Amino acid sequence: MKYYIKKTCFLFIICSIILFRCDKNETNSEESLVSTSPNILLIIADDMGKDATYGFTEGNVKPDTPNINNIKNSGITFNNCWVYPTCSPTRASMITGKYGYRTGVKQAGDILGSSETILQKYIKQQTNNEYVTALIGKWHLSGNEISGSSPEAFGMDYFAGLIGGGVQSYYQWQLTENGVQANETDYITEKITDLSIDWVNAQEKPWFLWLAYNAPHTPFHTPPAEMHSQGNLLDYSQGMNPLPYYMAAIEAMDYQIGRLLENMSESERNNTVILFIGDNGTPNQVAQSPFSNSTAKGSLYQGGINTPLYVSGVNVNRVGKIDNNLINGTDLYATISEIAGVPVSRINDSKSFKTLLSSVTEHREFQYAETNEFWTINNGKYKLFVNSNGSQEMYDLSSDPYESNNLLNGTLNSDQLEYKTILENELMQIRD
């Protein structure tokens, strides 16, 4: 009898171990799936600079943005992200991984050539169509009309939103979906979110959603009262203080980001990487100190091109950290591709910073941005501006982060002269 009991106990233990190992293997399999095929949500805020964003020292007035704050606090903040000073070039650089002079998109309204391989098409090609892709919201890379260079023509699975750069009213605007335009009267930030919720909920494969809000871009307006905390705002008219309206538009966007995330299942949310970025600096009408109306949106000064970038979600292990590496908007191309499982660390003018999501390492030696007539380059300490007419400016960002003292107005010391030469040579290589 004792032998029988011992034998039975032994068999029970063996079975338990086998079951535990099977369960563990299943768990590991699920974890492997999570790590190799996460959903990817890229949220682009239109005209939202550091001075209007929680977590940065610039600006005295901040909007109430609990959902964006949570993305920041549950992930990593990239403090030195450079984009372009206006929206079309930034979007083109992110979606192609190329600098503007290569694509011809160097100012707002420029059209992206149909031969470009956009990020979504590249991911689908490299992963054997593992991902389904969508762009919901603002496109602004095909002028202002439906044309052969619409998002679907580039290989996007689904597009719904604005072909052009903006709206005359947040309550009366034209929605383009499946190549058809229709007049809309729903509040645009809410409608874009509704479309995103519907699309995400319909997916059965890993997905990549490029969610491009037009908020808080002008026109200044009063969002629905439940979406903001700026009080009883009268209809905006010229001459009124635009700052509360700008803040209200940001808060309404944050409210809708919360809706989108709340409508995702817990398992789907836990298997999603979220990237939040501003496409350029704050508009000059609402720029806050230390920026000014001449060093904000539209300029190559820090207030125009150094914008918020947060990354959180699955496999982002540096929670609550601030990273000071130099990041270019072009880098999102390789980074998002690598997150999607594409074995690429560099492509075009893009360098993946995926490793920074889990470890501390070096990324770039230089950052670059441009407009039609100006170019700028930065090595983390010195920043050089070059005009096509040959004039230059140079700043020491370590001691003068908001570019008030042009070093070229005086005599450069040996260290400054050396780095000026280095920056000039690197600029020549970039633009060669």
Side-chain angles (χ1 to χ4, degrees):
M1 185 65 179
K2 289 181 179 179
Y3 171 78
Y4 177 79
I5 293 172
K6 289 181 178 179
K7 185 175 181 181
T8 302
C9 292
F10 177 76
L11 289 172
F12 175 79
I13 292 169
I14 293 297
C15 290
S16 298
I17 292 171
I18 291 172
L19 288 171
F20 173 77
R21 285 179 175 172
C22 289
D23 180 66
K24 186 175 181 181
N25 287 338
E26 288 174 3
T27 301
N28 287 339
S29 177
E30 291 174 359
E31 290 174 353
S32 176
L33 180 62
V34 165
S35 64
T36 57
S37 303
N39 304 311
I40 303 166
L41 173 59
L42 170 63
I43 303 173
I44 304 173
D46 197 349
D47 288 7
M48 185 171 170
K50 279 185 168 184
D51 51 331
T53 308
Y54 165 80
F56 297 102
T57 59
E58 295 86 354
N60 295 317
V61 180
K62 301 286 185 177
D64 183 15
T65 53
N67 297 295
I68 297 172
N69 297 0
N70 186 58
I71 294 172
K72 168 192 161 41
N73 294 334
S74 62
I76 183 169
T77 298
F78 290 97
N79 198 40
N80 287 317
C81 173
W82 268 22
V83 292
Y84 276 68
T86 55
C87 52
S88 297
T90 292
R91 293 159 202 270
S93 71
M94 293 193 300
I95 212 166
T96 66
K98 295 180 180 180
Y99 296 133
Y101 77 90
R102 298 192 199 277
T103 64
V105 183
K106 296 183 287 184
Q107 63 183 9
D110 285 346
I111 295 175
L112 187 66
S114 59
S115 63
E116 297 293 345
T117 301
I118 64 169
L119 172 58
Q120 291 81 355
K121 183 177 181 179
Y122 179 73
I123 288 174
K124 289 170 67 66
Q125 289 175 339
Q126 298 299 314
T127 63
N128 194 27
N129 290 317
E130 181 177 9
Y131 275 80
V132 61
T133 64
L135 191 156
I136 300 177
K138 179 173 175 175
W139 170 238
H140 206 202
L141 291 174
S142 302
N144 293 309
E145 303 294 334
I146 299 176
S147 68
S149 54
S150 64
E152 292 97 335
F154 279 94
M156 192 80 64
D157 291 323
Y158 173 75
F159 167 72
L162 302 172
I163 285 289
V167 295
Q168 294 298 312
S169 166
Y170 272 60
Y171 295 94
Q172 293 183 337
W173 53 282
Q174 279 200 323
L175 168 67
T176 300
E177 185 177 15
N178 298 321
V180 177
Q181 288 189 321
N183 294 323
E184 278 287 340
T185 57
D186 291 336
Y187 184 63
I188 186 170
T189 310
E190 183 172 22
K191 181 64 176 182
I192 288 172
T193 307
D194 289 341
L195 291 164
S196 299
I197 291 170
D198 291 343
W199 184 81
V200 167
N201 287 341
Q203 304 315 311
E204 296 180 353
K205 296 169 60 177
W207 49 263
F208 170 26
L209 172 57
W210 177 298
L211 174 53
Y213 286 107
N214 65 302
H217 194 288
T218 54
F220 301 119
H221 65 282
T222 304
E226 70 274 12
M227 299 182 194
H228 70 90
S229 66
Q230 297 298 313
N232 184 24
L233 296 177
L234 302 175
D235 289 342
Y236 179 79
S237 62
Q238 195 69 26
M240 299 174 68
N241 178 12
L243 191 57
Y245 296 87
Y246 177 71
M247 293 295 165
I250 295 174
E251 292 180 354
M253 177 179 63
D254 181 82
Y255 180 95
Q256 296 301 328
I257 291 171
R259 281 188 58 230
L260 171 60
L261 299 179
E262 288 167 5
N263 275 276
M264 292 168 58
S265 68
E266 183 178 359
S267 61
E268 189 164 39
R269 175 69 179 83
N270 289 339
N271 189 33
T272 300
V273 178
I274 302 175
L275 303 95
F276 177 89
I277 191 171
D279 72 338
N280 49 248
T282 300
N284 56 23
Q285 306 98 309
V286 287
Q288 299 184 67
S289 178
F291 306 132
S292 68
N293 60 7
S294 62
T295 62
K297 175 184 176 179
S299 81
L300 287 174
Y301 294 103
Q302 293 295 88
I305 61 175
N306 180 201
T307 61
L309 173 60
Y310 304 141
V311 185
S312 73
V314 61
N315 297 328
V316 179
N317 300 321
R318 295 175 65 196
V319 174
K321 301 298 183 181
I322 296 176
D323 191 289
N324 289 315
N325 269 287
L326 306 182
I327 305 291
N328 266 353
T330 55
D331 294 341
L332 269 70
Y333 192 98
T335 303
I336 292 174
S337 295
E338 195 171 16
I339 289 172
V342 181
V344 58
S345 59
R346 287 178 178 265
I347 182 171
N348 302 329
D349 299 309
S350 181
K351 182 179 180 183
S352 174
F353 57 84
K354 180 176 179 287
T355 56
L356 294 175
L357 306 183
S358 56
S359 60
V360 179
T361 185
E362 297 295 321
H363 182 59
R364 277 186 176 274
E365 290 185 64
F366 302 95
Q367 284 173 307
Y368 170 80
E370 66 194 329
T371 62
N372 268 334
E373 302 296 330
F374 290 87
W375 314 294
T376 186
I377 188 169
N378 164 38
N379 71 343
K381 178 175 173 60
Y382 292 109
K383 180 178 177 180
L384 180 69
F385 291 78
V386 177
N387 191 318
S388 59
N389 65 16
S391 64
Q392 297 183 345
E393 297 176 31
M394 183 174 172
Y395 299 91
D396 183 346
L397 294 181
S398 64
S399 60
D400 180 26
Y402 306 114
E403 302 147 301
S404 61
N405 177 33
N406 180 6
L407 298 174
L408 299 184
N409 288 335
T411 302
L412 300 183
N413 62 36
S414 58
D415 180 71
Q416 293 164 346
L417 279 170
E418 178 183 357
Y419 277 104
K420 182 175 182 288
T421 301
I422 290 171
L423 291 172
E424 288 172 332
N425 290 338
E426 183 64 24
L427 188 59
M428 288 179 60
Q429 290 187 40
I430 288 174
R431 295 187 58 81
D432 185 5

